[in-house]
Amino acid sequence: MRLPTAILAASVFISHPVLAVEAGQAAPSIAAPRLGEAQPLVAIADLRGQVVYVDFWASWCVPCRISMPALDALYRKHRDRGFVVVGVNKDVEAADAQRFLTRVPVSFPLLGDSADRVARAFEVKAMPSGYLIDRGGTVRQVHRGFTAQTAASLEEEVERLLKESR
């Protein structure tokens, strides 16, 4: 008995789920517009040579109220040494993100991802989620959720990667 092609295709898809991006893998090559703007696009690949933290956040994410100021402080402290934070907003409406940012302002670049293209490329599993990428484009650490302990360990990880040769 022959199974219909659709059933075979579905079984292959189900038996081989897409896995989340984890430490040791190359960072996905993505580009997205700045939050609230159609252009210019910001591409993660253009940041090669720097240590990059890609942070997925949303206005409805309670731990983001803690992570955003901590990430901004880390960015301001280390940006002159080659560290950049890229915040990827998952709100459907840019106005929701803008309201959040009036209460929790940041100075690092923010991208809009209302269609979830960037989040799907990273296979984001929790909010917030952050991906620390080394100068060569490899994900070195993944943080899901955010606490004071996350902030402390991220500070150490960033320091270590900034000391590595280019």
Side-chain angles (χ1 to χ4, degrees):
M1 178 175 150
R2 299 186 87 184
L3 292 174
T5 304
I7 293 173
L8 286 174
S11 68
V12 169
F13 179 75
I14 292 168
S15 65
H16 298 297
V18 176
L19 300 176
V21 172
E22 296 295 343
Q25 296 177 315
S29 179
I30 55 95
R34 290 192 179 273
L35 183 62
E37 302 174 19
Q39 303 231 349
L41 293 179
V42 175
I44 298 298
D46 292 343
L47 301 174
R48 180 119 348 145
Q50 298 182 71
V51 174
V52 179
Y53 191 74
V54 178
D55 178 62
F56 290 88
W57 67 282
S59 63
W60 45 263
C61 167
V62 174
C64 294
R65 295 179 201 151
I66 299 167
S67 66
M68 295 292 276
L71 293 173
D72 194 53
L74 193 61
Y75 169 67
R76 284 184 280 111
K77 180 177 180 181
H78 296 294
R79 67 180 165 204
D80 292 338
R81 295 177 55 206
F83 175 65
V84 66
V85 174
V86 177
V88 181
N89 179 260
K90 292 181 45 59
D91 284 302
V92 174
E93 299 293 328
D96 293 335
Q98 294 301 338
R99 274 191 297 281
F100 177 91
L101 292 168
T102 60
R103 294 185 316 261
V104 185
V106 296
S107 57
F108 54 81
L110 298 171
L111 308 181
D113 190 33
S114 61
D116 276 343
R117 284 186 5 256
V118 179
R120 278 195 309 272
F122 278 84
E123 289 296 320
V124 172
K125 301 294 182 198
M127 288 296 290
S129 284
Y131 300 81
L132 185 60
I133 303 167
D134 67 18
R135 296 178 193 274
T138 300
V139 175
R140 298 289 285 272
Q141 293 289 329
V142 177
H143 294 279
R144 292 184 179 93
F146 200 92
T147 65
Q149 185 177 12
T150 307
S153 71
L154 183 57
E155 170 83 30
E156 292 173 9
E157 295 160 3
V158 167
E159 285 280 352
R160 188 179 72 250
L161 289 179
L162 287 172
K163 290 177 184 173
E164 290 182 3
S165 61
R166 293 179 189 237

